[in-house]
Amino acid sequence: MRKKLQSILLVAGLCTVLSACENSNENPEPVQVEMPENYSFQRNGTSTVNFSGQTERIRMAMELNTALKANETATASSLLEMFRNQTAEGGDADPFEDAALNAASKSIKEKVASSKDYFSANASESAILKGYFESWLTAQATEVFPNWNELATAGKAGQVADGTSVRYVGTQGYEYNQLVAKGLIGALMLDQIVNNYLSTAVLDEGTNREDNSQAIVVEGEQYTNMEHKWDEAYGYLFGNSATPENPDLSAGGRDDSFLNNYLRTVESDDDFSGITQEVYDAFKLGRAAIVAGDYSLRDAQADIIKENLSKVVAIRAVHYLLEGKEKIEQDNRSGAFHALSEGVGFAFSLRFTKNPSTNAPHLPSAEVAAFAQELFKGNGLWDVSPELLGQIASRISSEFGFTEEQAKD
Amino acid sequence: MIIKEMFSQEKTKLFRFASFILFAVLVFSCSSDSSGDEPGAQTDDFDRAEMLVFWADQIIIPAYENYRATLVDLNTAAESLDTVDDLKTLQEKWRAAYLAWQGVSMFDIGKAESNGIKVFSNTYPTDAEQIELNIGEGSYNLELPSRKAEQGLPALDYLINSRTLSDEQILEQFDANRQSYIKALTERLLNLCDQVLEDWTTGDFRSKFIANKGSSSTSSVDKVVNDFLYDFEKYTRAGKVGIPAGVFSSLPIPTASEAYYSGERSKELLLESIKAAKGFFEGDSWIVLGGGPSLKAYLDDLGAQKDGQNLSELILANFNEAENLTAGLSSDFADQIEADNTKMLALYDVLQKNVVLIKVDAMQAMNIQVDYVDADGD
């Protein structure tokens, strides 16, 4: 930590020196895009920022999270209706408490594993990934709910203790609600942000560049198409903030139970502090770059976001896998299931990370699938070896360039 | 219990005197040799292995043995409940067990961690409503984690004590179902304790514990220190004082006091808990007169200071102040909270001061990382 601070000070000092030099050099520079103070942009005195669809999906997912624990009221079909915002027959459903969500024509499912970069020509894998969520939702209702007041054992769903908390697991020891929640962080939030809305294929689609450069707005709106795409990416991270134009970035805080929450969890680790501000700044500067028509600056900011948000998923995967590994090593196997359910959910989400230098996930999807096969075989977590968990954690951390020690606390 | 109390007071005094001499010697020898004594230039050559052996053999295992003996008595006393004398005996055995529990509560390691003895034995406030349902139905699975507030010492408190009923009236309620529930609770307490103690004695946990002498986050010292701190922060400071005094809520919750139904035990339970924490910190042996390697010795060995003062002395002074403040309270915290809650809050502040000294200063000096965070609610 101290070392890190020193290097920050050093860099800050260097910047001061450099900019002082620059000031003495009177050459006129091309227009410099300045870092906006807030995520707030206007045209003709009206805000051009809109991400209501993203906020809605975050809220739908939060209601789904709650329903996954409603053992007395939720059913497999009610959970699936929440996921699809449709009845099993494809008719209109009203599965949410919040009437605005029922009125919405959107659903969680339509955007799961649906990014342009990864899935537009890969409908078969998209269907498989969506299918996992539906199988977890169904199993929660058909496997876990009926055994709510039973003690879980290998091959039998029920309760396990996790310190002072009670956890409800399926036959393989997994908390399906955790697999769903942590899986959505990758399959919905991360995938939509880094592989869809911040993808040049989406930002520059059709005539987006010309339109944006000439400030041609979408019919009936104040924003250009490109601006809007960028905002939609922003919405999946900060859309549920009380003040989304100036969101709370504090360590350990949360505006939802998904990517926002875990970015700020990572923020509270000294080894990664500053990450939230870095992501927020990249969103602001990238958006300002779009307004200024500076597309290389835009793409540089997109890369910063892709890099950091992918890393958040990897850090939390390693963190929870190691926590679970330690508990198993201390003969507290069932006490490890909560951490492992979170860890495996995050590991599942690695499929949706993007390495800006390869434009692919950091770990090949076949490798993630091979891990999954090991983790879900036989009695699952009741049998899993600490060695396997250590191996997966070590593979992830070395690929992402942080140490296991850094991810642990 | 009483014998153990007198015994431990005696040896504490002796140990203090011994450590005072030791301290004086250290100061003297330091003043003649000023090299390598810069603040911050701490080296760690403390013998952690020796401390682990001492903890296992002279604190943890004897504390569990002591607790187990009280549970055997409690279990026997729950066998026949026909007369008021039977009830009084049961109440007295329950009290002894509850006091002895304070000596083991912090050692949440090994089997204790995996079998959940801590949450199953002392989760309060107890769920009186659910207890009545269980008794009415006559069937219940006490092994379920979700049943933690329907069992343990607090559930017994509800069943065998009362703030309003006389002993005769309590006894009148003891139908067959109620008696068998009481018996199920005492058996479960004993069973949980047996599992833990057997793992330490006939199982291989003691050797694993001692062998794990390194300084990683999963080493025995790091884990025990974390357990000690966690117990002091969450169970002693928050559970026994802060929560009932309303530190975490808009109003005080006197019914959340430990041993609420007894109407007279919350103070002595807190005192016993502080004594256990202090004794562990000082390395107070249960077996022989005097002390052994301890966190205090470890901190002194490292030369840990805070604002120019010896850190271990500051922590001890806080333990003592907490004991003194507690001594001035009503024997029943619910009464104390109603009568004058400011005294509870003042006590809370002193306990909190020690949480900070241990959690920040001492842990940093010993290079031990805090391994728990406040629950994130998911």
Side-chain angles (χ1 to χ4, degrees):
Chain A
M1 182 57 200
R2 194 175 291 158
K3 206 181 248 171
K4 196 165 167 186
L5 198 64
Q6 274 170 355
S7 62
I8 291 171
L9 289 175
L10 201 69
V11 170
L14 202 62
C15 291
T16 318
V17 171
L18 284 179
S19 60
C21 292
E22 239 169 20
N23 285 348
S24 66
N25 183 349
E26 295 285 313
N27 284 343
E29 285 276 310
V31 182
Q32 195 82 38
V33 182
E34 278 188 25
M35 175 69 74
E37 201 179 319
N38 294 320
Y39 198 89
S40 133
F41 301 90
Q42 300 192 335
R43 178 169 284 116
N44 307 324
T46 312
S47 170
T48 58
V49 180
N50 182 335
F51 39 73
S52 59
Q54 286 61 45
T55 310
E56 276 175 2
R57 279 197 199 85
I58 291 174
R59 291 184 182 162
M60 286 177 178
M62 290 180 74
E63 281 206 24
L64 179 61
N65 256 1
T66 307
L68 278 163
K69 290 197 157 181
N71 64 305
E72 283 175 359
T73 50
T75 62
S77 65
S78 75
L79 294 173
L80 289 173
E81 277 191 3
M82 293 179 91
F83 187 57
R84 300 169 182 164
N85 203 8
Q86 266 184 350
T87 64
E89 294 74 37
D92 187 38
D94 290 330
F96 299 104
E97 303 253 318
D98 183 343
L101 300 181
N102 288 328
S105 57
K106 303 171 188 333
S107 75
I108 302 170
K109 185 181 177 181
E110 65 187 356
K111 294 295 182 183
V112 163
S114 300
S115 63
K116 182 137 190 151
D117 283 3
Y118 284 178
F119 300 104
S120 60
N122 195 1
S124 46
E125 194 193 354
S126 173
I128 292 170
L129 293 167
K130 287 181 163 102
Y132 284 137
F133 286 94
E134 298 204 330
S135 69
W136 294 330
L137 295 173
T138 306
Q140 181 75 0
T142 58
E143 198 178 302
V144 179
F145 288 170
N147 290 296
W148 202 253
N149 285 310
E150 301 287 324
L151 199 60
T153 52
K156 183 175 177 304
Q159 298 183 6
V160 294
D162 167 29
T164 55
S165 305
V166 184
R167 309 296 183 183
Y168 299 88
V169 302
T171 52
Q172 291 187 311
Y174 285 102
E175 281 178 278
Y176 295 118
N177 56 320
Q178 287 298 337
L179 294 178
V180 170
K182 273 54 186 184
L184 284 177
I185 290 176
L188 176 63
M189 285 82 184
L190 186 68
D191 190 47
Q192 286 293 303
I193 295 173
V194 305
N195 305 317
N196 197 72
Y197 291 122
L198 298 187
S199 155
T200 45
V202 171
L203 290 169
D204 291 344
E205 195 172 13
T207 56
N208 279 4
R209 265 209 198 198
E210 294 113 87
D211 292 349
N212 186 66
S213 296
Q214 294 165 39
I216 298 175
V217 297
V218 175
E219 207 186 321
E221 304 291 353
Q222 287 294 330
Y223 46 71
T224 70
N225 226 331
M226 190 190 292
E227 289 170 336
H228 188 50
K229 299 299 175 195
W230 190 272
D231 294 341
E232 291 184 290
Y234 183 82
Y236 273 118
L237 187 59
F238 292 114
N240 202 43
S241 163
T243 52
E245 71 288 349
N246 181 25
D248 185 353
L249 305 179
S250 58
R254 61 197 296 179
D255 289 320
D256 59 40
S257 324
F258 304 101
L259 192 52
N260 177 286
N261 178 14
Y262 287 94
L263 171 64
R264 293 163 70 186
T265 304
V266 169
E267 174 69 35
S268 39
D269 180 343
D270 282 351
D271 294 310
F272 304 105
S273 59
I275 188 171
T276 311
Q277 185 74 47
E278 205 179 317
V279 169
Y280 177 56
D281 283 350
F283 265 117
K284 284 187 302 176
L285 191 57
R287 181 59 160 77
I290 291 174
V291 174
D294 185 343
Y295 302 117
S296 66
L297 181 63
R298 175 199 75 183
D299 291 341
Q301 304 314 303
D303 283 356
I304 292 173
I305 297 166
K306 290 171 189 172
E307 181 77 46
N308 280 304
L309 293 184
S310 296
K311 209 161 131 185
V312 166
V313 168
I315 291 167
R316 293 317 284 176
V318 171
H319 175 90
Y320 288 120
L321 291 174
L322 291 177
E323 184 183 329
K325 172 179 178 270
E326 280 178 5
K327 287 189 170 168
I328 293 175
E329 283 166 347
Q330 287 155 10
D331 297 327
N332 186 14
R333 180 170 287 269
S334 59
F337 290 175
H338 176 62
L340 291 177
S341 300
E342 297 201 73
V344 171
F346 276 111
F348 170 87
S349 284
L350 291 171
R351 168 67 188 97
F352 309 94
T353 58
K354 176 167 273 174
N355 183 342
S357 54
T358 60
N359 270 327
H362 292 70
L363 287 163
S365 57
E367 201 177 336
V368 177
F371 287 151
Q373 197 163 20
E374 286 296 305
L375 290 163
F376 284 95
K377 78 178 183 194
N379 282 329
L381 297 180
W382 291 98
D383 295 334
V384 76
S385 72
E387 290 75 25
L388 174 71
L389 299 171
Q391 194 191 328
I392 299 174
S394 141
R395 181 73 183 92
I396 298 169
S397 62
S398 68
E399 189 62 40
F400 280 83
F402 56 84
T403 67
E404 291 172 48
E405 234 15 79
Q406 286 174 320
K408 252 170 140 177
D409 40 46
Chain B
M1 198 60 229
I2 291 164
I3 290 170
K4 148 75 184 155
E5 262 168 22
M6 288 164 54
F7 173 66
S8 84
Q9 273 168 11
E10 197 58 37
K11 81 188 159 183
T12 306
K13 266 183 219 153
L14 261 175
F15 180 57
R16 286 254 175 69
F17 183 60
S19 59
F20 174 72
I21 293 176
L22 189 69
F23 183 61
V25 172
L26 279 175
V27 168
F28 181 73
S29 62
C30 285
S31 60
S32 64
D33 172 21
S34 61
S35 69
D37 204 25
E38 309 293 312
Q42 298 166 352
T43 54
D44 188 349
D45 52 6
F46 191 78
D47 191 342
R48 284 181 164 219
E50 192 194 337
M51 182 161 71
L52 289 176
V53 173
F54 175 77
W55 281 353
D57 295 343
Q58 299 201 39
I59 297 183
I60 302 175
I61 294 172
Y64 271 113
E65 279 167 345
N66 174 60
Y67 177 50
R68 184 181 186 278
T70 65
L71 291 179
V72 170
D73 288 352
L74 177 68
N75 201 36
T76 309
E79 261 158 31
S80 58
L81 294 169
D82 303 322
T83 66
V84 169
D85 278 350
D86 291 342
L87 176 61
K88 284 189 190 303
T89 306
L90 183 65
Q91 288 165 339
E92 199 44 51
K93 300 300 177 192
W94 165 83
R95 176 194 177 201
Y98 219 151
L99 287 166
W101 165 256
Q102 310 301 327
V104 299
S105 170
M106 74 179 92
F107 302 116
D108 194 22
I109 187 169
K111 196 71 186 177
E113 191 179 7
S114 60
N115 81 357
I117 188 173
K118 193 164 170 148
V119 290
F120 284 126
S121 303
N122 195 20
T123 293
Y124 59 91
T126 200
D127 189 343
E129 204 179 317
Q130 190 62 45
I131 290 171
E132 293 298 347
L133 285 174
N134 293 347
I135 291 171
E137 285 175 18
S139 82
Y140 30 82
N141 180 359
L142 296 174
E143 287 185 28
L144 284 180
S146 61
R147 300 263 186 219
K148 65 187 181 218
E150 300 154 35
Q151 59 183 300
L153 296 158
L156 284 170
D157 177 34
Y158 166 71
L159 290 166
I160 69 174
N161 296 315
S162 172
R163 297 179 77 88
T164 50
L165 304 181
S166 67
D167 284 349
E168 286 76 8
Q169 288 169 313
I170 294 172
L171 197 67
E172 276 168 29
Q173 299 184 320
F174 282 0
D175 59 12
N177 269 10
R178 209 170 188 83
Q179 287 201 30
S180 71
Y181 196 72
I182 291 172
K183 191 72 175 58
L185 297 187
T186 62
E187 276 169 10
R188 170 114 172 106
L189 281 165
L190 179 56
N191 180 260
L192 286 163
C193 179
D194 277 341
Q195 289 175 16
V196 175
L197 190 56
E198 275 164 22
D199 200 35
W200 276 102
T201 52
T202 53
D204 63 354
F205 190 68
R206 182 187 172 277
S207 54
K208 273 197 200 164
F209 177 79
I210 289 166
N212 190 7
K213 63 190 180 190
S215 57
S216 73
S217 64
T218 52
S219 70
S220 295
V221 172
D222 287 43
K223 282 220 63 175
V224 170
V225 171
N226 268 290
D227 293 344
F228 157 73
L229 170 65
Y230 185 83
D231 190 71
F232 187 70
E233 178 177 347
K234 306 288 185 189
Y235 284 72
T236 302
R237 179 207 61 149
K240 295 179 203 292
V241 183
I243 292 172
V247 172
F248 309 100
S249 51
S250 42
L251 289 171
I253 314 169
T255 53
S257 304
E258 192 172 27
Y260 171 74
Y261 296 96
S262 75
E264 55 178 351
R265 302 292 176 214
S266 36
K267 175 166 108 174
E268 65 180 15
L269 292 172
L270 173 63
L271 276 174
E272 194 67 14
S273 163
I274 297 173
K275 197 177 87 178
K278 188 172 96 171
F280 173 74
F281 179 76
E282 286 188 296
D284 220 350
S285 170
W286 280 67
I287 305 287
V288 296
L289 217 53
S294 63
L295 296 182
K296 179 186 185 305
Y298 194 176
L299 290 171
D300 292 345
D301 196 63
L302 292 164
Q305 303 256 313
K306 165 97 174 173
D307 303 331
Q309 280 181 277
N310 192 329
L311 179 60
S312 71
E313 295 296 329
L314 285 175
I315 292 172
L316 273 183
N318 262 315
F319 276 130
N320 292 336
E321 197 190 343
E323 283 179 329
N324 289 339
L325 286 181
T326 308
L329 298 175
S330 158
S331 62
D332 177 52
F333 285 175
D335 281 353
Q336 182 65 54
I337 290 162
E338 306 279 4
D340 181 4
N341 195 33
T342 58
K343 287 188 175 162
M344 292 290 284
L345 297 176
L347 170 59
Y348 177 87
D349 290 340
V350 172
L351 295 169
Q352 170 62 12
K353 256 201 268 177
N354 241 12
V355 167
V356 173
L357 286 177
I358 298 166
K359 196 170 188 173
V360 181
D361 301 279
M363 302 280 270
Q364 215 159 57
M366 295 183 288
N367 196 21
I368 294 174
Q369 223 173 41
V370 177
D371 69 4
Y372 63 92
V373 286
D374 289 323
D376 57 4
D378 67 354

